[in-house]
Amino acid sequence: SPAKHLDDALNHLQRLEPRLAELVELRFFAGLSVEQIAELREVTTRTVIRDWRRARAWLFDSLPRAAHS
């Protein structure tokens, strides 16, 4: 199922890039804004945006093609 694929991909990302996995959880599941995450992490919004792009690209590449539809 798509939810299982996403969970597997997030677990894999957690092992490889814990910071990016946490960012996905904060944005997607907790619904925090870029500004809120930047403040929480004490980084610039630019850093959060850059990491968010990397995390989304990594997840997109990691999910089976059928899950993209």
Side-chain angles (χ1 to χ4, degrees):
S1 77
K4 173 75 169 118
H5 293 303
L6 179 58
D7 188 52
D8 290 345
L10 276 172
N11 286 331
H12 190 209
L13 182 58
Q14 178 66 39
R15 288 189 299 276
L16 297 175
E17 296 267 3
R19 192 178 91 197
L20 295 183
E22 179 190 55
L23 176 58
V24 171
E25 291 172 0
L26 292 171
R27 285 282 289 156
F28 191 73
F29 297 111
L32 296 183
S33 69
V34 167
E35 293 77 14
Q36 290 170 318
I37 295 168
E39 186 176 328
L40 179 70
R41 291 183 159 186
E42 299 180 341
V43 297
T44 65
T45 56
R46 185 175 174 176
T47 296
V48 175
I49 291 167
R50 182 181 60 240
D51 286 349
W52 180 236
R53 286 182 184 144
R54 285 183 56 219
R56 284 186 310 170
W58 190 94
L59 287 172
F60 186 83
D61 288 344
S62 296
L63 293 173
R65 293 294 167 233
H68 295 170
S69 303

